[in-house]
């Protein structure tokens, strides 16, 4: 069979009226049938496409044999958050891109199978809170995928772990950025509960660098520190009109909607305003999420992207879903200014047409201005052109070496320039992916364990 | 004791509420000028409030109930706890030594003036405080301010207490009589705008405490952004106290009404 098993989805005209999950997952028969397509290649090229080296043929084989519990166990060996990754990994450029079946037909739906086995594990409560020995005391800063993974692994290794998260709910981008319809918050909640069951002590509303610092940690007897604080600083384009009332950074727009549930206003009291039409600037996952949220709030949505569809960094599935939902795409377009009404709300955007020029360093053809302009009427704008690391932690620990991009420098063992301080995830790589953050958290945990075993400390 | 537990609650004459909270980490690291993000119940809005006092293992805040979230907040009683309190956030106040400082407060803005006033006195400054309110009931913490300030002038819109007139009227007189080195202003945006225009005319450095609409309070969202000397700054991390002469108050005033329609629809 050359084609993969389809996944059931909420119909586009229905789902734009709610925030429920779009993709509904495989049932047992569907999963087993898809798993049966896997050739169980000895060399497992798929595995090399996964940043965390998930044991792909091995877990798929267990699904085929209907031993779903074992499949879950195998997944968990390399990936602490398979239910998340099965949903949000850009599989088409990672594991599935390398699958041999993709050469002549469709690659195995690795992500969907991962999601299936992980949901099975969660539903049947297969996670055991197993800990060994009594160990050292480690602080983890940041409750995103990197921090959660690092905390869980250290706790399993018997260490006392305290996790400090700035927001009132841990989860990082998985809770405040990625919307419910793509990643149900109950899944993130389950993962948080399971690390608490492992004994990790979670402190929400704890901003490292402000309410505690390195000195406090040393006084309180912490032996090591892991920093997984992400890349949460919004970028603007510095255009005229960006100060207007209804112009948001994607972070603000998504945090209002996802973390603070503005889509259930007035039941929840945090407001958000879109008006009749929203413009979203950018072409990544963040832009797709913002566009699809605005749609669900009742707005017409136009995405403005300065290159062509081919260069869009967003996952193919997200773009496909966005199009099905009636979101309009304007490629080779770039906003140059926003014009407001007398009360300070956006009224229209002035857009410049672009064309593709020579390839830049990333190999993608550079967009070049044409000097041709047009206007789009809109009531709100979401700027989704990327994020930078927050400087707070490097500022509070001045010895930490950072790069010109503001990321924290680490060695192969994820140790920073300060002995006993480790870092991983978006804070070291710049905005990347969930699975890369998980991989970093995992490897850092094992380096930290090694460091502590050698009797060293902060 | 629970985290964020209310140790003391007092109703003030203008309807505002004073809360003393158990918050050891915050108390230990706080300084005049810092603020908190307070979440009343799970699912409530994240509301920024200035720290008034910080000692031992507690901090205090004064909340004026103006809309749903602050109205919901003042219903909490002693022994209950806020769902979440984050802080201390923002920069420390701007400190000077051996100078003459004019502090101009409007309404409940007197609460955040108090820690700054006390800090300025520790640094040997001569401090004049002008506090304006709509009527007599709006004049809070009178004795407390009087005990610390070198000069203290109260004014009310209707003349029901202290002098009659706006803070800027009184300010004009003070500027004529004293050589002021620094102006600090905390209160409604419109008041701070006029205080700033006046001090600019006299070329006196002025710090205003910006109360733009915030969400995370940590520099992550840009909701609080202000136009500062042609640049974009985030009031929650670069402020809240910022050089008033560089602030575009007209943009800020518009931005602070950006959710007015929704806010009005849920006010109690
Ligand atoms: C809208 C959006 C959609 C995305 N979609 C996808 C996708 O589909 N697939 C994919 O693979 N990736 C996606 N990504 C990227 C992915 O989410 C990130 O790469 C990943 O979350 C990084 O994990 P992290 O643990 O390093 O950081 P984060 O998830 O950013 O978590 C960092 C945490 O640290 C906290 N923190 C920061 N500073 C402090 C401090 N001083 N003290 C205490 N806590 C602090 C933050 O509040 C945050 O909770 C998306 C990103 C966004 C924004
Ligand atoms: C740094 C800072 C310190 C502050 N200190 C104090 C204080 O010590 N005591 C006090 O009583 N008030 C203080 N405020 C103002 C207080 O945060 C607002 O009154 C409160 O958020 C209003 O919320 P609401 O739902 O009750 O009213 P709403 O009806 O929602 O809003 C009333 C007005 O308050 C402003 N506002 C609304 N939401 C926010 C928000 N999330 N952040 C900031 N402003 C908002 C808007 O201008 C709005 O029009 C401070 C604000 C800031 C930014
Ligand atoms: S974690 Fe992501 S990249 Fe790795 S196998 Fe799973 S879906 Fe593929
Ligand atoms: S490459 Fe594809 S077919 Fe081969 S083992 Fe991996 S998933 Fe199965
Ligand atoms: S409140 Fe979000 S950046 Fe200031």
């Amino acid at each position: 069979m050359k084609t993969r098993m389809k996944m059931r989805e909420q119909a586009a005209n229905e789902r734009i009226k709610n925030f429920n999950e779009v993709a509904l997952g495989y049932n047992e028969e569907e999963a087993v049938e898809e798993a049966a397509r896997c050739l169980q290649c000895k060399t497992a090229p798929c595995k090399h496409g996964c940043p965390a080296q998930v044991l792909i043929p091995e877990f798929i084989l267990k699904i085929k044999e209907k031993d779903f519990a074992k499949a879950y166990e195998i997944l968990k060996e390399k990936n602490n958050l398979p239910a998340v990754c099965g949903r949000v990994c850009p599989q088409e450029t990672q594991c599935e891109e390398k699958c041999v079946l993709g050469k002549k037909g469709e690659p195995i739906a690795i992500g969907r199978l991962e999601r299936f086995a992980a949901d099975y594990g969660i539903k049947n409560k297969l996670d055991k809170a197993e800990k060994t020995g009594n160990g050292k005391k480690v602080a983890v800063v940041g409750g995103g995928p990197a921090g959660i993974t690092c905390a869980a692994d250290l706790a399993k290794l018997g260490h006392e772990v305290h996790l400090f998260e700035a927001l009132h709910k841990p989860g990082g981008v998985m809770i405040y950025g990625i919307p419910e319809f793509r990643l149900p918050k109950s899944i993130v909640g389950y993962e948080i509960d399971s690390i608490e069951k492992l004994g990790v002590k979670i402190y929400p509303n704890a901003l490292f660098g402000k309410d505690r610092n390195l000195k406090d940690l040393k006084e309180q007897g912490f032996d090591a520190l892991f920093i997984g604080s992400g890349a949460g600083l919004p970028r603007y384009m510095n255009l005229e009109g960006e100060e207007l009332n209804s112009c948001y950074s994607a972070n603000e727009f998504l945090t209002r909607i996802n973390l603070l549930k503005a889509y259930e206003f007035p039941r929840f009291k945090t407001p958000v305003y879109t008006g009749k039409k929203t413009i979203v600037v950018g072409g990544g996952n963040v832009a797709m999420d913002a566009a699809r949220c605005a749609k669900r709030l009742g707005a017409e949505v136009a995405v403005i992207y300065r290159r062509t569809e081919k260069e869009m960094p967003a996952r193919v599935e997200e773009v496909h879903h966005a199009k099905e939902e009636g979101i309009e795409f304007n490629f080779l377009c770039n906003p140059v200014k926003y014009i407001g009404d007398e009360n300070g709300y956006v009224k229209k955007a002035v857009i410049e047409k672009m064309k593709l020029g020579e390839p830049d360093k990333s190999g993608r053809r550079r967009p070049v201005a044409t000097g041709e302009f047009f206007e789009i009427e809109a009531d709100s704008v979401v700027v989704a052109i990327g994020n930078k690391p927050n400087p707070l932690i490097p500022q509070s620990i001045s010895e930490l070496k950072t790069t010109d991009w503001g990321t924290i420098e680490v060695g192969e063992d994820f140790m920073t320039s300060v002995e006993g301080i480790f870092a991983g995830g978006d804070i070291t790589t710049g905005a990347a992916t969930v699975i890369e953050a998980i991989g970093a958290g995992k490897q850092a945990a094992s380096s930290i364990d090694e460091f502590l075993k050698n009797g060293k400390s902060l | 004791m629970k985290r964020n537990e209310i140790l003391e609650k007092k109703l003030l004459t203008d309807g505002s509420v004073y809360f003393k909270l158990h918050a050891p980490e915050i108390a230990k690291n706080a300084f005049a000028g810092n603020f908190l993000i307070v979440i009343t119940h799970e699912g409530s809005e994240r509301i920024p409030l200035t720290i008034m006092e910080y000692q031992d293992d507690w901090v205090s805040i004064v909340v004026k109930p103006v809309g749903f979230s602050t109205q919901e907040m003042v219903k909490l009683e002693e022994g209950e706890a806020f769902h979440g309190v984050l802080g201390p956030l923002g920069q420390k106040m701007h400190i000077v030594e051996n100078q003459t400082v004019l502090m101009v407060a409007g309404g409940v803005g007197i609460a955040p003036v108090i820690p700054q006033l006390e800090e300025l006195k520790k640094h040997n400054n001569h401090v004049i405080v002008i506090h304006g309110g709509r009527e007599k009931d709006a004049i809070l913490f009178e004795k407390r301010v009087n005990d610390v300030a070198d000069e203290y002038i109260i004014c009310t819109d209707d003349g029901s207490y202290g002098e009659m007139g706006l803070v800027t009227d009184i300010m004009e007189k003070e500027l004529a009589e004293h050589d002021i080195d620094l102006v600090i202003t905390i209160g409604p945006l419109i008041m701070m705008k006029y205080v700033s225009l006046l001090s600019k005319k006299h070329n006196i450095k002025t710090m205003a405490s910006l109360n733009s609409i915030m969400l995370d309070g940590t520099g992550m969202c840009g909701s609080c952004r202000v136009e500062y000397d042609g640049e974009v700054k985030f009031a929650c991390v670069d402020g809240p106290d910022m050089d008033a002469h560089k602030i575009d108050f007209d943009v800020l005033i518009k931005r602070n009404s950006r959710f007015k329609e929704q806010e009005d629809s849920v006010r109690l």
Side-chain angles (χ1 to χ4, degrees), chain B residues 35 45-50 62-64 66-70 210-214 240 256 263 267:
Chain B
F35 70 98
E45 250 188 297
R46 298 169 61 93
I47 298 296
L49 297 165
T50 313
V62 171
V63 188
K64 188 169 170 77
V66 295
F68 181 87
S69 299
T70 44
L210 303 179
N211 49 355
S212 52
I213 295 184
M214 296 186 180
N256 257 33
E263 286 159 356
R267 192 155 290 139

Side-chain angles (χ1 to χ4, degrees), chain A residues 168 205 210-211 216 232-234 236 242-245 247 249 251-252 256 265 268-270 272 342 345 390, chain B residues 28-29 43 45-46 68 84 87-90 218-223 225 227 254-255 257-259 262:
Chain A
H168 60 280
N205 304 304
K210 285 287 184 184
D211 64 1
D216 298 322
L233 203 71
Y236 293 95
E242 265 181 349
E243 76 287 354
L244 291 168
N245 290 358
C247 181
S249 74
N251 276 3
E252 179 186 356
R256 287 185 178 278
F265 187 90
F268 289 87
K269 296 297 185 299
T270 302
V272 69
E342 61 284 4
Y345 291 82
N390 189 316
Chain B
K28 185 174 164 203
N29 292 290
E45 250 188 297
R46 298 169 61 93
F68 181 87
L89 302 173
T218 70
M220 181 269 263
C221 76
S223 171
R225 66 191 188 275
E227 298 278 300
K254 276 189 186 159
R255 280 187 65 80
S257 69
R258 66 200 173 106
F259 300 113
Q262 287 98 324

Side-chain angles (χ1 to χ4, degrees), chain A residues 222-240:
Chain A
F222 283 95
D223 300 297
L225 164 64
F226 175 77
I227 302 170
S229 53
L233 203 71
R235 272 171 45 189
Y236 293 95
M237 295 171 73
N238 298 322
L239 299 183
E240 191 183 323

Side-chain angles (χ1 to χ4, degrees), chain A residues 143-384:
Chain A
I148 291 180
T149 301
C150 188
D153 280 18
L154 286 167
K156 285 182 198 153
L157 289 162
H159 300 293
E160 177 185 340
V161 185
H162 296 233
L163 186 149
F164 303 103
E165 165 55 48
L167 291 171
H168 60 280
K169 270 191 205 148
V173 170
M174 300 185 294
I175 203 94
Y176 77 74
I178 304 179
E180 176 77 18
F181 56 81
R182 213 150 66 77
L183 177 61
K185 300 306 157 232
S186 56
I187 291 177
V188 183
Y190 170 87
E191 300 295 354
I192 303 294
D193 286 349
S194 27
I195 70 166
E196 282 190 302
K197 284 200 188 109
L198 285 168
V200 174
K201 196 154 166 20
I202 299 178
Y203 300 78
N205 304 304
L207 185 62
F208 187 85
K210 285 287 184 184
D211 64 1
R212 68 201 80 217
N213 53 36
L214 189 57
K215 195 166 139 262
D216 298 322
L217 294 186
K218 284 183 184 165
E219 277 169 19
Q220 289 159 19
F222 283 95
D223 300 297
L225 164 64
F226 175 77
I227 302 170
S229 53
L233 203 71
R235 272 171 45 189
Y236 293 95
M237 295 171 73
N238 298 322
L239 299 183
E240 191 183 323
E242 265 181 349
E243 76 287 354
L244 291 168
N245 290 358
S246 49
C247 181
Y248 306 86
S249 74
N251 276 3
E252 179 186 356
F253 191 67
L254 292 170
T255 302
R256 287 185 178 278
I257 294 170
N258 299 314
L259 179 69
L260 291 145
K261 305 239 179 298
Y263 65 89
E264 289 200 51
F265 187 90
R267 192 159 87 82
F268 289 87
K269 296 297 185 299
T270 302
V272 69
Y273 166 86
T274 58
K276 289 202 183 66
K277 172 128 186 189
T278 304
I279 285 177
V280 176
V281 185
N285 286 323
V286 184
M288 294 307 107
D289 283 343
R292 297 173 70 200
C293 281
K295 185 78 194 185
R296 282 161 174 74
L297 294 171
E300 284 305 306
V301 186
V303 170
I304 309 282
Y305 180 55
R306 61 197 182 122
R307 307 185 201 234
T308 70
E309 178 160 7
K310 211 173 81 207
E311 285 86 18
M312 278 221 292
R315 293 179 62 207
V316 174
E317 186 181 337
E318 304 318 324
V319 181
H320 171 70
H321 278 150
K323 284 187 177 166
E324 280 182 349
E325 289 166 12
I327 287 162
E328 169 194 325
F329 285 82
N330 297 268
F331 297 112
L332 290 171
C333 284
N334 204 26
V336 290
K337 73 170 169 186
Y338 307 110
I339 297 168
D341 65 14
E342 61 284 4
N343 297 319
Y345 291 82
V346 175
K347 198 165 73 181
K348 57 187 169 192
V350 181
I351 314 280
E352 179 163 24
K353 289 191 180 161
M354 310 295 280
K355 61 178 187 211
L356 287 184
E358 296 299 305
D360 62 14
K361 269 189 237 141
S362 73
R364 298 185 301 176
R365 289 176 65 190
R366 193 195 306 268
V368 211
T370 61
E372 242 185 278
F373 301 90
F374 66 102
E375 290 181 352
I376 301 185
E377 306 249 330
D379 307 300
S380 54
V381 173
V382 181
V383 184

